[in-house]
Each structure stands twice: as C-alpha cells, then as structure tokens.
Amino acid sequence: LHMPIDAVMKTVQVSDSDVAAAYEERKKDFAKPATRSFVQVVTDEAQAKQLAELARAGSSVAAAAKKLNLINVSVDNVLQDALPEQLRAPIFTAKNKSIIGPVQSDLGYHVIEITGATEAVTRSLDDVKAELAASLKQQKAEDELQASAAKLDDALGANRAFADIAKEFGAEQLSFAGLTADRAKLPPALLNLSYGPALYQQALVLGEGENGSLLNDGKGGLFVVRVTRLQQAHVPPLTEIKPLVTAAWQKAEQAEA
C-alpha cells in the first residue's frame, strides 16, 4: 500500500495570505547581500603611496604594480563581513572603478581598485510567490500525511482489507507475487520503485497475514507491506519434477555425444 506525497498535494490548498505571511517570516532567506570585486596590492607604506600615485595617474593598480615589481591579487564577489575591519567601509563605500588607499590593516598597506560591485537586494514577493507556494504546499502535504499515519496504523491493526484502506486514504495498492530470496528474479515493477529495496526487505521477514511498519518512500510519501501468502522453501517430490530432471539428463547426454 503506497501513499505518495503527490497524491496528497493535489488536495492541499495554499492561499495568497499564507504565502504573504510565509514571505514576511522568511524574508531574510530571499535577501542577496552586497558584494565587491577588486584588485589589491599589499605592501609597505612607501611603496603603497608610490603605487597609488601611479594608479591614479591613469594606470590601473595591476599595471602600476607590474611597473614596481609588486604582486597584485584579484578578489571576486567578496562579502563585507569577510574583509578585514579596516577595509570594509573604504571598499563598500567606494564607487566602481575607483582607486582606494593606501589603507592600513594588520596585513600592511593596501592599494585597491574596485572592479565590480553588486548592491544588496531582496527578491520581491511576486518574484518568489510561485516557489514559496510550492514549498508551503509540500510542507502542508507532509504534515497531513503524518497526521494520517496514526489512523492508517489503526486500520492496519484492525486487519482491514488493503482495498478498503486504499479507498479511504486515497492510497494505491500494488501486488507482487512469487518474491524469493533471489534478488536476480525480482520483478522490474518492484525494482523501479524508489522504495522497492525497502519493500522487498520487509516482505522477506514478515509472516503470512502480517503487516510491516509504515516507512518513508524516499520522496515524502509512506508505504506499508502485507504478506498475503507465504510458501516455505521445500524440495518437491520426484514425481513432480521427474519430467524436468529427465529433460536435463537427456540434454547433457546429447551434449557429450
């Protein structure tokens, strides 16, 4: 018996007010912080002053650094909090393409050229409405499914027919016959289920007429197994298998001839 989350979601309704309330609650999740990209050189005070003068005279920081045999480093899309405290305000208040410095930090004297800037932005309710509604619908469906689990357990405990339970809970009933310990002989329909391996493991340990535990199907839904018929392993009498044995013996004899 399988209760897929998709079936439950079809019955779930999410109102515009639900979405609006969730947006206000999760607004910070839709915020994209400001970032800066820049090229910088860290050196001593004298070289930093010389570098800054060259860069502001019409050269770039990278070109000026090359003339002075200094190493420049590119930093892309960095957040303000990721910078040394002394650099945060100078970098994030500067205009794009501007030259900053020298600015002193614990690392030395920085000369910086801003190469890219993106400002902080929060996605609007209209932008996120569809994905937020889908998220709420998924959560409501999972909550409803879990709420139904206790009632489903009661129905299983009363040993009601699977067909009746399936109808009441909107579940789907699947049947598999002849399952054995030989995994190579499992039917493709079982192997194609996301919860197929778990279903198979439960079926192997249950007795006839027993129900397994309610388990997650790996996609948010639930499933449970009932073994309706159990045939113990046995060696059939010779009279039953004699034609098969005879045919096998004849085939072997022909192969040796």
Short mmCIF file of all heavy atoms in Angstrom, two decimals, residues 217-252:
data_model
loop_
_atom_site.label_atom_id
_atom_site.label_comp_id
_atom_site.label_asym_id
_atom_site.label_seq_id
_atom_site.Cartn_x
_atom_site.Cartn_y
_atom_site.Cartn_z
N ASP A 217 8.86 6.55 1.72
CA ASP A 217 9.22 6.02 0.40
C ASP A 217 10.41 6.73 -0.23
O ASP A 217 10.75 6.46 -1.39
CB ASP A 217 8.01 6.09 -0.54
CG ASP A 217 7.59 7.52 -0.88
OD1 ASP A 217 8.24 8.47 -0.38
OD2 ASP A 217 6.62 7.70 -1.63
N GLY A 218 11.04 7.63 0.52
CA GLY A 218 12.19 8.35 -0.01
C GLY A 218 11.83 9.61 -0.75
O GLY A 218 12.70 10.39 -1.14
N LYS A 219 10.53 9.85 -0.94
CA LYS A 219 10.08 11.05 -1.64
C LYS A 219 9.02 11.81 -0.84
O LYS A 219 8.31 12.64 -1.39
CB LYS A 219 9.52 10.68 -3.02
CG LYS A 219 10.55 10.09 -3.97
CD LYS A 219 9.94 9.81 -5.34
CE LYS A 219 10.98 9.28 -6.31
NZ LYS A 219 10.39 9.03 -7.66
N GLY A 220 8.93 11.50 0.44
CA GLY A 220 7.97 12.18 1.29
C GLY A 220 6.69 11.42 1.54
O GLY A 220 5.88 11.81 2.38
N GLY A 221 6.47 10.33 0.79
CA GLY A 221 5.27 9.51 0.95
C GLY A 221 5.49 8.37 1.93
O GLY A 221 6.56 8.23 2.54
N LEU A 222 4.47 7.53 2.09
CA LEU A 222 4.54 6.40 3.00
C LEU A 222 4.15 5.10 2.28
O LEU A 222 3.40 5.13 1.31
CB LEU A 222 3.58 6.60 4.19
CG LEU A 222 3.83 7.80 5.10
CD1 LEU A 222 2.69 7.94 6.09
CD2 LEU A 222 5.16 7.66 5.83
N PHE A 223 4.67 4.00 2.76
CA PHE A 223 4.25 2.70 2.23
C PHE A 223 4.26 1.67 3.34
O PHE A 223 4.94 1.83 4.37
CB PHE A 223 5.15 2.25 1.07
CG PHE A 223 6.48 1.71 1.50
CD1 PHE A 223 6.66 0.34 1.71
CD2 PHE A 223 7.57 2.56 1.68
CE1 PHE A 223 7.89 -0.15 2.11
CE2 PHE A 223 8.80 2.07 2.08
CZ PHE A 223 8.96 0.70 2.29
N VAL A 224 3.48 0.62 3.15
CA VAL A 224 3.44 -0.48 4.11
C VAL A 224 3.23 -1.78 3.32
O VAL A 224 2.61 -1.78 2.26
CB VAL A 224 2.32 -0.27 5.15
CG1 VAL A 224 0.94 -0.30 4.50
CG2 VAL A 224 2.39 -1.31 6.26
N VAL A 225 3.78 -2.86 3.85
CA VAL A 225 3.72 -4.16 3.18
C VAL A 225 2.85 -5.12 3.99
O VAL A 225 2.92 -5.14 5.22
CB VAL A 225 5.14 -4.78 3.05
CG1 VAL A 225 5.07 -6.13 2.35
CG2 VAL A 225 6.06 -3.83 2.30
N ARG A 226 2.05 -5.91 3.30
CA ARG A 226 1.32 -7.03 3.92
C ARG A 226 1.60 -8.28 3.10
O ARG A 226 1.42 -8.28 1.87
CB ARG A 226 -0.18 -6.77 3.99
CG ARG A 226 -0.97 -7.97 4.52
CD ARG A 226 -2.46 -7.69 4.57
NE ARG A 226 -2.79 -6.71 5.60
CZ ARG A 226 -4.00 -6.16 5.74
NH1 ARG A 226 -4.98 -6.50 4.89
NH2 ARG A 226 -4.23 -5.30 6.70
N VAL A 227 2.05 -9.33 3.77
CA VAL A 227 2.27 -10.62 3.10
C VAL A 227 0.96 -11.39 3.12
O VAL A 227 0.44 -11.74 4.18
CB VAL A 227 3.39 -11.42 3.80
CG1 VAL A 227 3.49 -12.82 3.19
CG2 VAL A 227 4.71 -10.69 3.67
N THR A 228 0.41 -11.66 1.96
CA THR A 228 -0.88 -12.33 1.88
C THR A 228 -0.76 -13.85 1.75
O THR A 228 -1.68 -14.59 2.07
CB THR A 228 -1.69 -11.81 0.69
OG1 THR A 228 -0.91 -11.95 -0.51
CG2 THR A 228 -2.02 -10.33 0.88
N ARG A 229 0.41 -14.30 1.27
CA ARG A 229 0.61 -15.75 1.13
C ARG A 229 2.09 -16.05 1.28
O ARG A 229 2.93 -15.36 0.69
CB ARG A 229 0.11 -16.24 -0.24
CG ARG A 229 0.24 -17.75 -0.45
CD ARG A 229 -0.47 -18.18 -1.72
NE ARG A 229 -0.32 -19.60 -1.96
CZ ARG A 229 0.66 -20.14 -2.69
NH1 ARG A 229 1.56 -19.35 -3.27
NH2 ARG A 229 0.74 -21.43 -2.87
N LEU A 230 2.39 -17.04 2.08
CA LEU A 230 3.77 -17.42 2.33
C LEU A 230 3.96 -18.90 2.04
O LEU A 230 3.28 -19.75 2.62
CB LEU A 230 4.14 -17.14 3.79
CG LEU A 230 5.58 -17.48 4.20
CD1 LEU A 230 6.58 -16.63 3.42
CD2 LEU A 230 5.76 -17.26 5.70
N GLN A 231 4.84 -19.20 1.12
CA GLN A 231 5.13 -20.59 0.78
C GLN A 231 6.56 -20.90 1.23
O GLN A 231 7.51 -20.29 0.75
CB GLN A 231 4.99 -20.82 -0.72
CG GLN A 231 5.25 -22.27 -1.13
CD GLN A 231 4.99 -22.48 -2.61
OE1 GLN A 231 4.24 -21.74 -3.24
NE2 GLN A 231 5.60 -23.51 -3.17
N GLN A 232 6.70 -21.82 2.18
CA GLN A 232 8.01 -22.17 2.70
C GLN A 232 8.82 -22.92 1.65
O GLN A 232 8.29 -23.62 0.79
CB GLN A 232 7.87 -23.05 3.95
CG GLN A 232 7.13 -22.38 5.10
CD GLN A 232 7.90 -21.22 5.69
OE1 GLN A 232 9.09 -21.06 5.44
NE2 GLN A 232 7.21 -20.39 6.47
N ALA A 233 10.13 -22.73 1.74
CA ALA A 233 11.02 -23.45 0.83
C ALA A 233 10.91 -24.95 1.08
O ALA A 233 10.84 -25.40 2.22
CB ALA A 233 12.46 -22.99 1.04
N HIS A 234 10.87 -25.76 0.01
CA HIS A 234 10.77 -27.21 0.16
C HIS A 234 11.31 -27.89 -1.10
O HIS A 234 11.43 -27.25 -2.15
CB HIS A 234 9.32 -27.64 0.37
CG HIS A 234 8.45 -27.42 -0.84
ND1 HIS A 234 8.03 -26.18 -1.25
CD2 HIS A 234 7.95 -28.31 -1.76
CE1 HIS A 234 7.30 -26.29 -2.34
NE2 HIS A 234 7.24 -27.58 -2.68
N VAL A 235 11.66 -29.14 -0.94
CA VAL A 235 12.10 -29.94 -2.09
C VAL A 235 10.89 -30.69 -2.61
O VAL A 235 10.28 -31.50 -1.89
CB VAL A 235 13.21 -30.93 -1.68
CG1 VAL A 235 13.60 -31.79 -2.88
CG2 VAL A 235 14.41 -30.19 -1.13
N PRO A 236 10.49 -30.46 -3.86
CA PRO A 236 9.30 -31.13 -4.39
C PRO A 236 9.55 -32.63 -4.57
O PRO A 236 10.69 -33.07 -4.77
CB PRO A 236 9.08 -30.45 -5.74
CG PRO A 236 10.42 -29.92 -6.12
CD PRO A 236 11.10 -29.56 -4.84
N PRO A 237 8.51 -33.45 -4.52
CA PRO A 237 8.67 -34.91 -4.72
C PRO A 237 9.16 -35.20 -6.14
O PRO A 237 8.91 -34.41 -7.07
CB PRO A 237 7.26 -35.46 -4.49
CG PRO A 237 6.34 -34.30 -4.72
CD PRO A 237 7.10 -33.08 -4.28
N LEU A 238 9.83 -36.34 -6.29
CA LEU A 238 10.42 -36.71 -7.58
C LEU A 238 9.36 -36.78 -8.68
O LEU A 238 9.61 -36.39 -9.83
CB LEU A 238 11.14 -38.06 -7.46
CG LEU A 238 11.80 -38.58 -8.74
CD1 LEU A 238 12.84 -37.58 -9.25
CD2 LEU A 238 12.44 -39.95 -8.50
N THR A 239 8.17 -37.27 -8.33
CA THR A 239 7.12 -37.39 -9.34
C THR A 239 6.76 -36.03 -9.94
O THR A 239 6.34 -35.95 -11.09
CB THR A 239 5.86 -38.02 -8.72
OG1 THR A 239 5.47 -37.27 -7.56
CG2 THR A 239 6.12 -39.47 -8.32
N GLU A 240 6.96 -34.98 -9.15
CA GLU A 240 6.58 -33.65 -9.60
C GLU A 240 7.64 -33.06 -10.53
O GLU A 240 7.33 -32.33 -11.48
CB GLU A 240 6.39 -32.74 -8.38
CG GLU A 240 5.88 -31.34 -8.72
CD GLU A 240 5.64 -30.52 -7.48
OE1 GLU A 240 5.16 -31.08 -6.47
OE2 GLU A 240 5.94 -29.31 -7.50
N ILE A 241 8.89 -33.43 -10.27
CA ILE A 241 9.96 -32.81 -11.06
C ILE A 241 10.63 -33.79 -12.03
O ILE A 241 11.58 -33.44 -12.72
CB ILE A 241 11.04 -32.21 -10.14
CG1 ILE A 241 11.69 -33.32 -9.29
CG2 ILE A 241 10.47 -31.11 -9.27
CD1 ILE A 241 12.91 -32.83 -8.50
N LYS A 242 10.11 -35.04 -12.08
CA LYS A 242 10.75 -36.06 -12.93
C LYS A 242 10.88 -35.62 -14.39
O LYS A 242 11.94 -35.81 -15.00
CB LYS A 242 9.97 -37.37 -12.83
CG LYS A 242 10.64 -38.52 -13.58
CD LYS A 242 9.90 -39.83 -13.36
CE LYS A 242 10.59 -40.98 -14.11
NZ LYS A 242 9.88 -42.26 -13.90
N PRO A 243 9.84 -35.00 -14.99
CA PRO A 243 10.00 -34.58 -16.40
C PRO A 243 11.13 -33.58 -16.59
O PRO A 243 11.87 -33.64 -17.58
CB PRO A 243 8.64 -33.95 -16.72
CG PRO A 243 7.69 -34.59 -15.76
CD PRO A 243 8.47 -34.79 -14.50
N LEU A 244 11.31 -32.68 -15.63
CA LEU A 244 12.39 -31.69 -15.73
C LEU A 244 13.75 -32.35 -15.59
O LEU A 244 14.70 -32.02 -16.32
CB LEU A 244 12.21 -30.62 -14.64
CG LEU A 244 10.96 -29.74 -14.74
CD1 LEU A 244 10.87 -28.80 -13.55
CD2 LEU A 244 10.99 -28.92 -16.04
N VAL A 245 13.86 -33.30 -14.65
CA VAL A 245 15.12 -34.00 -14.44
C VAL A 245 15.48 -34.83 -15.67
O VAL A 245 16.63 -34.86 -16.12
CB VAL A 245 15.05 -34.89 -13.18
CG1 VAL A 245 16.33 -35.73 -13.05
CG2 VAL A 245 14.83 -34.04 -11.95
N THR A 246 14.49 -35.49 -16.22
CA THR A 246 14.71 -36.33 -17.40
C THR A 246 15.18 -35.48 -18.58
O THR A 246 16.12 -35.84 -19.30
CB THR A 246 13.42 -37.08 -17.78
OG1 THR A 246 13.01 -37.89 -16.67
CG2 THR A 246 13.64 -37.95 -18.99
N ALA A 247 14.54 -34.35 -18.78
CA ALA A 247 14.90 -33.48 -19.90
C ALA A 247 16.32 -32.96 -19.73
O ALA A 247 17.09 -32.89 -20.71
CB ALA A 247 13.90 -32.31 -19.98
N ALA A 248 16.70 -32.63 -18.51
CA ALA A 248 18.04 -32.13 -18.25
C ALA A 248 19.08 -33.22 -18.50
O ALA A 248 20.15 -32.97 -19.07
CB ALA A 248 18.14 -31.61 -16.81
N TRP A 249 18.77 -34.45 -18.09
CA TRP A 249 19.70 -35.56 -18.29
C TRP A 249 19.88 -35.84 -19.78
O TRP A 249 20.99 -36.04 -20.26
CB TRP A 249 19.14 -36.79 -17.58
CG TRP A 249 19.98 -38.03 -17.83
CD1 TRP A 249 21.17 -38.36 -17.27
CD2 TRP A 249 19.68 -39.06 -18.77
NE1 TRP A 249 21.64 -39.54 -17.76
CE2 TRP A 249 20.74 -40.02 -18.70
CE3 TRP A 249 18.62 -39.31 -19.65
CZ2 TRP A 249 20.76 -41.16 -19.48
CZ3 TRP A 249 18.66 -40.47 -20.41
CH2 TRP A 249 19.73 -41.36 -20.33
N GLN A 250 18.77 -35.84 -20.54
CA GLN A 250 18.84 -36.08 -21.98
C GLN A 250 19.69 -35.00 -22.69
O GLN A 250 20.45 -35.29 -23.60
CB GLN A 250 17.44 -36.15 -22.56
CG GLN A 250 16.65 -37.39 -22.13
CD GLN A 250 15.23 -37.38 -22.63
OE1 GLN A 250 14.70 -36.33 -23.00
NE2 GLN A 250 14.58 -38.55 -22.62
N LYS A 251 19.51 -33.77 -22.25
CA LYS A 251 20.26 -32.67 -22.86
C LYS A 251 21.75 -32.84 -22.59
O LYS A 251 22.59 -32.58 -23.47
CB LYS A 251 19.76 -31.34 -22.28
CG LYS A 251 20.38 -30.11 -22.95
CD LYS A 251 19.76 -28.83 -22.42
CE LYS A 251 20.35 -27.62 -23.12
NZ LYS A 251 19.76 -26.34 -22.62
N ALA A 252 22.11 -33.29 -21.39
CA ALA A 252 23.51 -33.50 -21.05
C ALA A 252 24.10 -34.65 -21.85
O ALA A 252 25.25 -34.59 -22.31
CB ALA A 252 23.65 -33.78 -19.54
#
